[in-house]
Amino acid sequence: MKYLITFLFLFVVNVTGFSQQIYKRTLKLMGSRFDITVVTKDQVTADNYIDIAITEIQRIEKLISSWDKNSQTSLINNNAGIQAVKVDQELFDLIHRAIGVSKITDGAFDISYASMDKIWKFDGSVKEMPSSSIINTSVAKVGYKNIILDKEKLTVFLSQQGMKIGFGAIGKGYAADKAKKLLIKEGVYAGIINASGDMNTWGKQPDGTDWKVAITNPLNKNNAFALLPVVDKAVVTSGNYEKYVVIDGKRYSHIIDPRTGYPSTGIASVTVFAPKAELADALATSVFVMGIKVGLNRINQLRRIECIIIDDKGKIHTSDNIKIDN
């Protein structure tokens, strides 16, 4: 469950000789809520820019969607264990980067998670732990090492029949990154793309101050414990405060370890700050799976990446370069 709380907006100052304002549109894209915000001179110009961003997001959805039977992603999945599939350079590069994240997280992040059997339900119907054999079988076809890439031929091959890849953990973040890049190219000097909690910012508010994000405690959603600046970067928060299952008094998150098939435990939310939403998205999920100690250790080894973790007792844990009085 992705969520980011309130950004503070200050309206109308004189920049480069004319009045700049914040314009925002909310709509459903990629099956999720998107908030597209631009800083510009008037509504007509803003609408044009926002339409450009929407068209780009729709293009990406068509490329990576596993629901669209005609997409390249579906073609890859349908040919698992049969043959390699030639894809566009863009999709090839996205898969290559995803495998890179899998390597640095020891498989805690894995786009072949889509191969998992859906044995966990988080609607209150699960009352006992599935058997170990059922859980082991559920992840039998998961494994990023079985995604074979040929950079010369631009082909992707899933080596086992029944394997699937999916971009649910990075797709919206990638779309936010691409929309941001395009709007900057079009001349939009400041804005925010919020892809259902995968947040990407650039520039500053009209008064010259940084965009800011309030991080709330998932155990008390009315209480923001920190207000942090977000300067030309992405921030993603993953939380389990709404989707979880309790078995024998222990809470299990809806975020499942693709290596083991077991839900993650011990963490209520993870917030990651990174240069791109795609990476922040993938790492937020990974930290949930790796746990507090291993997750923070891994984040501290990565340049320009920071992290805030709230455990299931409400205690705050941060990476080395974030200091919060709590």
Side-chain angles (χ1 to χ4, degrees):
M1 179 65 65
K2 297 284 177 8
Y3 65 99
L4 273 175
I5 319 301
T6 308
F7 270 83
L8 305 181
F9 296 136
L10 297 176
F11 289 78
V12 188
V13 298
N14 190 276
V15 178
T16 63
F18 51 80
S19 178
Q20 295 287 299
Q21 298 188 49
I22 293 172
Y23 298 92
K24 175 181 174 182
R25 191 187 306 174
T26 299
L27 68 163
K28 189 173 184 179
L29 295 165
M30 302 179 74
S32 301
R33 170 174 168 158
F34 272 67
D35 298 294
I36 302 173
T37 301
V38 296
V39 175
T40 190
K41 58 183 180 179
D42 57 56
Q43 185 70 60
V44 173
T45 305
D47 285 342
N48 178 59
Y49 286 140
I50 292 172
D51 287 342
I52 289 172
I54 291 170
T55 299
E56 176 70 351
I57 292 165
Q58 291 171 334
R59 181 190 69 81
I60 293 164
E61 180 178 20
K62 187 174 182 180
L63 179 69
I64 69 174
S65 173
S66 58
W67 300 105
D68 182 351
K69 64 180 181 179
N70 296 315
S71 73
Q72 292 184 17
T73 301
S74 292
L75 192 60
I76 293 169
N77 291 341
N78 292 338
N79 282 278
I82 301 172
Q83 63 182 357
V85 174
K86 184 175 176 57
V87 299
D88 292 348
Q89 183 76 58
E90 181 178 10
L91 183 60
F92 185 91
D93 291 343
L94 179 61
I95 295 171
H96 184 265
R97 291 195 302 274
I99 292 173
V101 177
S102 295
K103 291 177 179 177
I104 66 174
T105 61
D106 300 321
F109 174 83
D110 193 330
I111 58 171
S112 70
Y113 78 94
S115 311
M116 281 192 290
D117 295 333
K118 305 300 188 290
I119 62 172
W120 295 97
K121 296 181 180 180
F122 300 91
D123 56 4
S125 62
V126 175
K127 303 298 182 183
E128 60 183 23
M129 186 75 70
S131 70
S132 58
S133 61
I134 290 176
I135 293 174
N136 291 337
T137 299
S138 74
V139 293
K141 293 182 174 65
V142 177
Y144 70 91
K145 294 180 181 179
N146 295 320
I147 304 173
I148 312 302
L149 303 182
D150 187 325
K151 66 179 181 180
E152 300 299 328
K153 297 180 180 179
L154 286 183
T155 60
V156 182
F157 179 51
L158 307 183
S159 64
Q160 296 185 31
Q161 286 193 347
M163 276 190 72
K164 295 178 182 179
I165 59 172
F167 298 97
I170 60 170
K172 290 189 293 294
Y174 177 62
D177 290 335
K178 294 292 286 185
K180 168 186 171 179
K181 182 178 180 179
L182 184 56
L183 288 180
I184 291 173
K185 182 180 178 181
E186 291 290 327
V188 182
Y189 82 92
I192 302 170
I193 308 293
N194 180 1
S196 192
D198 294 4
M199 190 84 70
N200 212 331
T201 74
W202 71 101
K204 295 180 181 292
Q205 298 186 68
D207 70 341
T209 61
D210 296 328
W211 303 110
K212 295 180 177 66
V213 61
I215 310 296
T216 67
N217 190 325
L219 305 182
N220 181 3
K221 291 181 285 183
N222 294 320
N223 180 29
F225 70 80
L227 185 64
L228 301 174
V230 185
V231 183
D232 292 326
K233 66 174 62 174
V235 54
V236 173
T237 298
S238 292
N240 75 342
Y241 64 100
E242 289 181 343
K243 293 181 68 175
Y244 59 88
V245 62
V246 177
I247 300 175
D248 296 330
K250 186 173 184 179
R251 177 183 291 202
Y252 295 88
S253 167
H254 72 287
I255 298 175
I256 298 172
D257 188 336
R259 303 165 297 185
T260 67
Y262 286 85
S264 59
T265 61
I267 293 177
S269 75
V270 175
T271 299
V272 173
F273 297 82
K276 293 187 176 182
E278 173 194 321
L279 181 58
D281 203 349
L283 290 176
T285 301
S286 302
V287 171
F288 244 103
V289 170
M290 290 187 289
I292 297 169
K293 184 177 180 180
V294 174
L296 286 179
N297 179 266
R298 196 60 47 88
I299 291 294
N300 286 329
Q301 296 178 50
L302 302 175
R303 293 180 62 250
R304 300 175 65 196
I305 311 292
E306 299 300 337
C307 180
I308 300 172
I309 300 173
I310 303 176
D311 66 27
D312 55 7
K313 302 295 190 296
K315 184 177 179 181
I316 300 168
H317 311 260
T318 68
S319 55
D320 288 346
N321 293 322
I322 291 183
K323 305 299 179 185
I324 297 175
D325 295 328
N326 61 314

